[in-house]
Amino acid sequence: MKTAADPVVRFSHVSKVFKLEDGDFQAIQDVSLDIADGEFVAIVGASGCGKSTLLRLLIGLDRAFSGNISIDGRPVEGVGSGRGIVFQEHRLFPWLNVSENIGLALGNTVLDPEAKRKRIESMVELVGLEKFSRAYPHQLSGGMAQRVAIARGLVTSPRLLLLDEPFSALDALTRQQIQDELLNIRQRYRVTTVLVTHDVEEAIYLADRVVVLQPRPGRIKDIVDIDLPRPRQRSGYDFYRLKEALLHRLTKEGEYELAERNLLKEIPLRFIAQ
Ligand SMILES: Nc1ncnc2c1ncn2[C@@H]1O[C@H](COP(=O)(O)OP(=O)(O)O)[C@@H](O)[C@H]1O
Ligand SMILES: [Mg+2]
């Protein structure tokens, strides 16, 4: 029988090899991870370390892997409406307005038109775009377009919200604002969330748990509980220490080039699982 303690997502010894002309390339190696109901997990790592590949496996876009991935105890078999997905580019259709773009995701559901309209309206309201429901994508700012993408991701009431570098293309201020909005949305709509990002600060600011991936082959280096109280203060000492420690973990192999690099000092790593 299923209990509340059962994980929503279970990766069990997942590996992924790409067959290339000049041989095999191991993109993911032996990843095991449980994600609990309602949890917010961030997967962080340098570019090319396998974050998107891992997410694609969870989405069901790629079924050529070894190991097991299950959602609510059932193996992932192809793409389904149980997962809302948000990418770096909003992927909105330019000829559809905000409501229509959100509604498109409801395409193959059995809702009657009135229920559908209400559902779309509640999503528009959830992301605070009531005044823009008839606007077209070109009339929206980058942050607003990503809010529409989140609304579209949630309109089917998915079991999981999956985000792949959703805010990376936004300017720093907008990014901070939309991070707060994502947290607000999660307060009202408590969906299990997996965020992929290369931004350590974003991961610590948002997530309950941060999974640090290391590259070639992509594998789990650390899993860190973020115990900082919410709302979190980016300027707080504990926040800063955690950020520096995680950056240090990511840069240690010389894989991660960041401006912050020269700020790194000897940072106690006691609180990180080795
Ligand atoms: N379809 C593919 N064929 C071959 N190699 C791929 C393919 N997709 C991704 N890779 C390789 O797998 C590694 C991980 O890619 P990816 O998951 O996109 O990384 P990330 O999202 O962390 O930047 C990279 O080295 C990338 O070049
Ligand atoms: Mg990626």
Side-chain angles (χ1 to χ4, degrees):
M1 213 183 83
K2 233 173 80 64
T3 71
D6 286 337
V8 175
V9 175
R10 169 161 284 174
F11 287 94
S12 181
H13 302 291
V14 172
S15 295
K16 165 77 194 172
V17 173
F18 287 111
K19 304 265 176 219
L20 305 177
E21 271 176 20
D22 53 351
D24 288 355
F25 175 76
Q26 176 129 28
I28 301 289
Q29 186 182 63
D30 198 27
V31 164
S32 293
L33 175 71
D34 282 0
I35 300 174
D37 195 10
E39 197 179 13
F40 191 146
V41 168
I43 298 175
V44 69
S47 173
C49 75
K51 303 182 296 296
S52 295
T53 302
L54 208 54
L55 214 59
R56 282 173 61 83
L57 300 181
L58 181 57
I59 294 168
L61 282 169
D62 183 349
R63 296 182 60 193
F65 63 93
S66 63
N68 294 293
I69 306 175
S70 60
I71 299 177
D72 287 324
R74 287 184 297 276
V76 168
E77 284 171 351
V79 189
S81 63
R83 282 145 287 171
I85 306 156
V86 181
F87 296 99
Q88 182 174 331
E89 331 80 61
H90 55 67
R91 302 189 185 188
L92 300 175
F93 288 108
W95 58 88
L96 299 179
N97 69 30
V98 164
S99 290
E100 290 164 345
N101 265 293
I102 296 170
L104 210 60
L106 287 172
N108 47 11
T109 52
V110 288
L111 292 178
D112 64 66
E114 180 56 13
K116 200 167 165 174
R117 192 189 62 73
K118 281 200 171 137
R119 180 109 201 105
I120 295 166
E121 207 174 275
S122 75
M123 285 299 123
V124 169
E125 191 248 338
L126 181 72
V127 297
L129 289 177
E130 296 92 327
K131 291 197 181 124
F132 294 88
S133 62
R134 310 231 164 272
Y136 287 85
H138 77 271
Q139 298 171 305
L140 305 174
S141 67
M144 287 157 81
Q146 281 310 68
R147 276 147 70 186
V148 179
I150 293 171
R152 182 188 51 192
L154 291 175
V155 74
T156 56
S157 311
R159 186 75 170 111
L160 282 173
L161 178 63
L162 308 176
L163 306 114
D164 191 350
E165 309 265 10
F167 312 138
S168 298
L170 303 174
D171 65 85
L173 266 181
T174 306
R175 196 180 316 149
Q176 292 197 1
Q177 281 167 4
I178 199 166
Q179 286 167 354
D180 283 329
E181 268 161 36
L182 178 61
L183 292 177
N184 288 337
I185 289 167
R186 266 182 50 88
Q187 292 231 313
R188 294 170 60 190
Y189 190 107
R190 201 164 163 68
V191 62
T192 306
T193 305
V194 183
L195 167 81
V196 156
T197 181
H198 65 267
D199 182 341
V200 172
E201 180 176 308
E202 177 167 275
I204 300 171
Y205 189 69
L206 294 174
D208 302 318
R209 218 149 43 106
V210 174
V211 176
V212 180
L213 283 192
Q214 62 183 330
R216 285 182 283 278
R219 67 218 121 112
I220 295 180
K221 183 168 191 172
D222 296 304
I223 299 180
V224 184
D225 287 323
I226 310 296
D227 294 329
L228 302 174
R230 297 176 187 271
R232 292 179 177 158
Q233 305 295 331
R234 294 173 211 268
S235 54
Y237 177 68
D238 290 342
F239 192 102
Y240 175 80
R241 241 173 61 114
L242 198 50
K243 180 177 159 188
E244 292 304 297
L246 281 184
L247 280 170
H248 186 71
R249 292 293 284 167
L250 282 164
T251 51
K252 226 165 136 189
E253 320 291 338
E255 303 281 4
Y256 203 69
E257 294 299 332
L258 272 185
E260 284 102 320
R261 208 185 166 100
N262 55 4
L263 290 175
L264 295 175
K265 304 260 159 49
E266 280 306 306
I267 289 151
L269 286 164
R270 271 171 290 117
F271 53 98
I272 292 187
Q274 296 294 314

